């Protein structure tokens, strides 16, 4: 296309037009090698000029690269939080209050074990106050029979404030029903106690037992040793 790339003064990026539309601008010179070498030596580039030219070329190249690949703009810094009052500067919000721990479950008191049952040995107790015998050692137990002050009862066992006594109201042929008598109330009042006169208490107990059994069977009750009647009623009557 009419262009020649030349090597001139150490540069290889020089181009020259060899001919235009009208005439040739450059022609071959078979004997010009020696002259070219002489010309190159005479016009050798000054080192300072070469360094300056190379620096300019590097700066130009860097500018072209920066133009092709412009640096990305960084995001602007976030604005600082406004103070509660003007002029106070930045401030931090207080941390949220700590969560309250769930309260521990309420402790359920363990029920105390029932009092231990102790053998009564058949000892005779004296009733100090009128009372009622029940079918269990609790104040809400079913009434089995009633006792008067001075009556004697036979103790078969003891549990807490109660004594298990012989059921003198038991009808023959009927299922056996346990009979319990409270000998001390919640205020500490003594309602019955071990009789010191076991012989006299035995006589009194047997006489009362015979009288109640005779009444249950419809017979005439025998007279007591002291000539009086027998106190105490029969079961079935309410609490107390």
């Amino acid at each position: 296309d009419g262009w020649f790339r030349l090597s001139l003064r150490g540069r290889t990026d020089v181009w020259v037009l060899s001919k235009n539309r009208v005439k040739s601008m450059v022609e071959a010179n078979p004997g010009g090698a020696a002259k070219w070498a002489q010309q190159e030596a005479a016009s050798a580039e000054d080192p300072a000029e070469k360094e300056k030219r190379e620096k300019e070329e590097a700066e130009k190249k860097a500018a072209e690269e920066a133009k092709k690949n412009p640096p990305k703009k960084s995001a602007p810094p976030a604005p600082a939080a406004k103070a509660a009052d003007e002029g106070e500067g930045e401030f931090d919000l207080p941390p949220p209050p700590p969560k309250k721990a769930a309260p521990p479950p309420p402790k359920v008191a363990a029920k105390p074990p029932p009092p231990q049952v102790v053998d009564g040995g058949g000892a005779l107790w004296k009733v100090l106050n009128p009372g009622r015998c029940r079918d269990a050692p609790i104040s809400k137990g079913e009434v089995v029979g009633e006792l008067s002050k001075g009556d004697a009862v036979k103790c078969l066992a003891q549990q807490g404030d109660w004594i298990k006594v012989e059921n003198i109201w038991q009808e023959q042929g009927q299922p056996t029903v346990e009979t319990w008598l409270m000998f001390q109330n919640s205020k500490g009042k003594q309602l019955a106690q071990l009789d010191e006169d076991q012989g006299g208490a035995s006589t009194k107990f047997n006489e009362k037992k015979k009288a109640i059994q005779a009444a249950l069977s419809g017979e005439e009750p025998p007279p007591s040793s002291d000539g009086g009647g027998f106190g105490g009623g029969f079961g079935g009557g309410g609490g107390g």
Side-chain angles (χ1 to χ4, degrees):
D1 55 0
W3 288 88
F4 282 95
R5 185 177 180 181
L6 305 179
S7 175
L8 180 65
R9 296 177 183 177
R11 297 177 60 177
T12 58
D13 57 347
V14 180
W15 293 80
V16 63
L17 183 64
S18 62
K19 63 180 179 180
N20 59 19
R21 296 180 180 179
V22 178
K23 62 178 180 178
S24 296
M25 309 294 292
V26 178
E27 62 182 2
N29 184 4
K35 187 177 181 179
W36 177 83
Q38 183 182 2
Q39 181 180 329
E40 283 291 306
S43 61
E45 186 176 12
D46 183 77
E49 289 294 330
K50 181 179 181 181
E51 182 179 356
K52 181 180 179 181
R53 177 180 57 77
E54 290 177 349
K55 183 177 180 181
E56 290 176 352
E57 289 177 354
E59 290 176 352
K60 183 179 179 180
K61 186 175 181 181
E64 290 177 353
E65 290 292 332
K67 189 175 181 180
K68 291 180 181 179
N69 302 306
K72 295 182 180 180
K73 294 182 179 180
S74 59
K82 292 184 178 181
D85 298 328
E86 293 296 331
E88 290 188 3
E90 298 182 2
F91 72 100
D92 294 329
L93 294 175
K99 293 183 179 180
K100 293 183 178 180
K107 294 183 179 180
V108 180
K111 292 183 179 181
Q116 186 177 0
V117 178
V118 180
D119 184 22
L124 295 165
W125 285 52
K126 182 178 181 180
V127 178
L128 303 178
N129 286 278
R132 294 176 176 178
C133 291
R134 302 180 182 275
D135 63 352
I138 54 175
S139 58
K140 293 183 179 181
E142 187 71 24
V143 176
V144 178
E146 297 181 355
L147 295 171
S148 301
K149 181 178 179 180
D151 284 345
V153 291
K154 183 179 288 188
C155 179
L156 305 178
Q158 181 177 340
Q159 182 178 13
D161 295 333
W162 294 76
I163 55 173
K164 181 180 180 181
V165 299
E166 183 179 331
N167 186 356
I168 59 177
W169 300 273
Q170 182 74 44
E171 295 186 47
Q172 293 184 0
Q174 297 297 323
T176 302
V177 178
E178 289 189 357
T179 309
W180 292 83
L181 174 67
M182 180 186 288
F183 68 88
Q184 180 176 279
N185 62 17
S186 58
K187 297 181 179 180
K189 182 179 180 180
Q190 201 75 16
L191 305 177
Q193 66 182 16
L194 184 65
D195 201 324
E196 295 180 358
D197 183 8
Q198 290 289 301
S202 177
T203 301
K204 189 179 292 187
F205 171 75
N206 291 327
E207 288 178 352
K208 184 175 182 66
K209 181 178 178 181
K210 290 178 181 179
I212 291 177
Q213 290 297 318
L216 291 174
S217 61
E219 300 177 2
E220 186 71 23
S224 62
S225 60
D226 57 5
F230 293 96
F234 299 96

